[in-house]
Amino acid sequence: MAKYFGTDGVRGIANLGLTPELAFKLGRAGGYALTKTTEHPKVLVGRDTRISGYMLESALISGLLSIGVEVMRLGVVSTPGVAYLTKAMDASAGIMISASHNPVEDNGIKFFGSDGFKLSDEVEATIETLLAKDKDDLPRPIGGDLGVSSDYFEGGQKYLQFLKQTIQEEDFSTFKIALDCAHGSTSALAPHLFADLEADIVTIGTSPNGKNINAGVGSTHPEALSALVVEKAADVGLAFDGDGDRLIAVDELGNIIDGDKIMYICATYLKSKGRLTKDTLVTTVMSNLGLYKALQTQQIETKQTKVGDRYVMEEMRDGGYVLGGEQSGHIIFLEHSTTGDGMLTALQLVNIMKVTGKKLSELAASVKTYPQKLVNIKVADKFHVTENPEVAAVIKDVETDMAGDGRVLVRPSGTESLIRVMAEAPTEEACDAYVERIAQKVVEAIGGEIQ
């Protein structure tokens, strides 16, 4: 089991779990593992707006410099911005300091390889091995062989120029767009992007002070944006998370348009243009049944993965698919990007509105979200629940009762000793009944406590 790396880099409470000492070690170990075959390696480093970013950035860069790496500081930039610039500038690696949608006390360090993709499990294991050594025997160059650091804050503008090249319509002057930047990485970038495209914009969440990232705003709190859209009579609302790799939208009526509906809109549009490879969309198992039913009517196939954008990306790369994502708003356009990108997704969405001449509510109307109920059961062994014959039997009985108009998912948590029981059905009452029926059987059969 990895000690440091989770599903999205190294995370922890800044200055407690994720200390500057650890950031220094990650700079040395990660920098060495990713640049050891390069004669004059260059690494890009970006961060979000958290107050702890300054501390961790300084420590991380010190570690990189100590093994002879040239560092280019991007300053505050989005995670997908780091991924794009790493590849575009032929850097050996890119590193982002962010805890995405988490609260301000958290922070994280995630690495990108020279190709702009997140690291493989094998490379992360190599870094883990280096960190675990009792003695740091990595190179320590001296004199003129030490690394140097420089600022490349204009990297953000280079990234914005790339984004604008991904759409057909570069004139959004007919749109009034409400932006919520979560007081995070997109606070300066997104308003500039849409202003350059001539849109009439109104904003919230664009005044970061180091402490207010994701606080009551952004993609995890889209209610604030919904109210703004209605108040200002905007055509669309676009909410990003703290590091800019997610998008949740709001239609002109104030309705929240989640990642499932955004994927439907983008998939059907790409298919109409002959650009949806194999007429297939990649989702996780947590996407709503309503999405799958709507896609069936458009003859669009789906591939499902475990929860996590890295698993979506793996399936996309293995199968050659161009579009995938999560209900949470991580949307991957593999034609354009190597990771989920909130601003890229926002551009594609508004571009579709412009090209089709349709309002967002109309584009999303075909996806009827099924009520969903999720309960957690604390257990000693989370991995073998569905192998229990009693549990397997009740799941089968529930699926029979649903008669194709509902869905059950029983799975272990990725981070805790929990079994997650989820059901989707036409009514809230049916969801509650199905979930309670399965959860009670899990407790009877293997023990545990419903949370």
Side-chain angles (χ1 to χ4, degrees):
M1 295 288 289
K3 179 179 179 181
Y4 298 102
F5 283 90
T7 57
D8 198 23
V10 178
R11 293 276 185 96
I13 297 176
N15 212 28
L16 186 60
L18 183 54
T19 63
E21 291 85 355
L22 177 55
F24 176 78
K25 291 178 180 178
L26 279 166
R28 284 182 56 76
Y32 176 75
L34 294 168
T35 69
K36 59 184 177 182
T37 60
T38 306
E39 188 172 351
H40 298 292
K42 175 173 62 182
V43 172
L44 308 184
V45 176
R47 60 178 175 85
D48 68 19
T49 56
R50 292 163 208 272
I51 191 170
S52 60
Y54 299 99
M55 172 186 74
L56 296 172
E57 179 188 56
S58 297
L60 176 75
I61 290 176
S62 292
L64 291 164
L65 299 179
S66 75
I67 59 168
V69 170
E70 176 190 351
V71 175
M72 298 184 72
R73 294 175 61 242
L74 300 174
V76 174
V77 69
S78 67
T79 291
V82 173
Y84 165 74
L85 291 167
T86 298
K87 183 178 180 180
M89 298 180 64
D90 295 320
S92 300
I95 307 176
M96 180 66 180
I97 302 169
S98 174
S100 190
H101 58 283
N102 284 22
V104 66
E105 59 266 25
D106 293 344
N107 216 326
I109 296 174
K110 68 179 76 176
F111 293 82
F112 294 94
S114 59
D115 57 2
F117 288 96
K118 294 179 181 179
L119 303 187
S120 66
D121 292 340
E122 292 74 21
V123 176
E124 288 185 352
T126 298
I127 298 173
E128 288 266 357
T129 299
L130 294 172
L131 290 169
K133 285 187 174 182
D134 292 332
K135 181 181 179 182
D136 179 354
D137 55 4
L138 296 178
R140 287 190 177 273
I142 59 174
D145 292 329
L146 281 165
V148 295
S149 176
S150 60
D151 293 336
Y152 186 60
F153 298 153
E154 58 267 38
Q157 292 304 311
K158 181 179 178 72
Y159 168 58
L160 294 185
Q161 288 302 315
F162 152 72
L163 288 177
K164 286 187 284 187
Q165 294 169 10
T166 69
I167 57 172
Q168 301 162 252
E169 300 286 342
E170 291 196 23
D171 180 2
F172 288 169
S173 59
T174 58
F175 290 108
K176 186 170 189 177
I177 299 175
L179 300 174
D180 180 352
C181 298
H183 298 305
S185 289
T186 63
S187 293
L189 295 173
H192 278 115
L193 175 63
F194 286 95
D196 285 349
L197 295 169
E198 306 299 332
D200 179 9
I201 61 172
V202 292
T203 65
I204 56 174
T206 56
S207 302
N209 61 16
K211 303 176 185 178
N212 59 358
I213 189 170
N214 300 315
V217 289
S219 63
T220 52
H221 302 282
E223 300 80 12
L225 180 63
S226 178
L228 181 67
V229 167
V230 173
E231 176 191 349
K232 300 295 185 180
D235 297 294
V236 60
L238 305 168
F240 309 102
D241 64 338
D243 71 333
D245 64 358
R246 294 187 186 194
L247 172 75
I248 295 294
V250 173
D251 71 16
E252 76 283 357
L253 303 174
N255 299 311
I256 294 168
I257 307 298
D258 66 10
D260 281 348
K261 293 182 178 180
I262 294 171
M263 285 190 289
Y264 172 82
I265 293 167
C266 295
T268 53
Y269 177 77
L270 289 177
K271 185 187 177 190
S272 74
K273 299 299 181 181
R275 290 167 48 201
L276 186 66
T277 305
K278 304 178 185 178
D279 289 344
T280 298
L281 171 70
V282 181
T283 72
T284 74
V285 293
M286 289 305 292
S287 279
N288 192 272
L289 179 62
L291 170 63
Y292 300 120
K293 286 185 171 290
L295 289 170
Q296 286 173 2
T297 68
Q298 301 298 319
Q299 290 79 52
I300 294 176
E301 302 292 328
T302 58
K303 294 286 185 180
Q304 295 185 23
T305 75
K306 293 189 293 184
V307 176
D309 63 314
R310 69 182 299 169
Y311 301 114
V312 173
M313 178 62 81
E314 287 173 5
E315 181 66 32
M316 292 176 69
R317 296 179 76 182
D318 289 346
Y321 306 115
V322 296
L323 182 65
E326 297 186 280
Q327 189 182 67
S328 61
H330 277 118
I331 315 294
I332 302 170
F333 292 85
L334 202 49
E335 286 180 305
H336 305 300
S337 183
T338 57
T339 189
D341 189 329
M343 288 197 295
L344 173 63
T345 304
L347 277 183
Q348 304 306 309
L349 191 62
V350 178
N351 182 70
I352 293 170
M353 293 171 63
K354 178 73 181 288
V355 172
T356 63
K358 294 181 178 181
K359 295 179 179 180
L360 186 55
S361 61
E362 185 179 357
L363 290 168
S366 296
V367 182
K368 306 296 184 184
T369 302
Y370 274 54
Q372 184 182 92
K373 177 70 177 289
L374 173 70
V375 300
N376 296 317
I377 306 170
K378 190 172 183 60
V379 294
D381 179 6
K382 64 181 181 179
F383 292 109
H384 306 291
V385 61
T386 55
E387 297 172 12
N388 181 281
E390 294 179 60
V391 174
V394 75
I395 293 173
K396 184 177 180 180
D397 288 345
V398 166
E399 290 176 335
T400 299
D401 290 349
M402 287 178 166
D405 201 21
R407 186 169 71 105
V408 172
L409 180 64
V410 180
R411 67 179 183 91
S413 164
T415 57
E416 302 173 84
S417 295
L418 299 173
I419 296 295
R420 304 197 191 280
V421 179
M422 185 272 286
E424 291 168 348
T427 67
E428 297 281 358
E429 293 78 12
C431 276
D432 291 346
Y434 290 141
V435 167
E436 182 178 355
R437 189 167 152 194
I438 295 172
Q440 291 293 344
K441 182 58 68 176
V442 170
V443 173
E444 290 174 17
I446 67 172
E449 179 183 356
I450 298 174
Q451 298 292 287

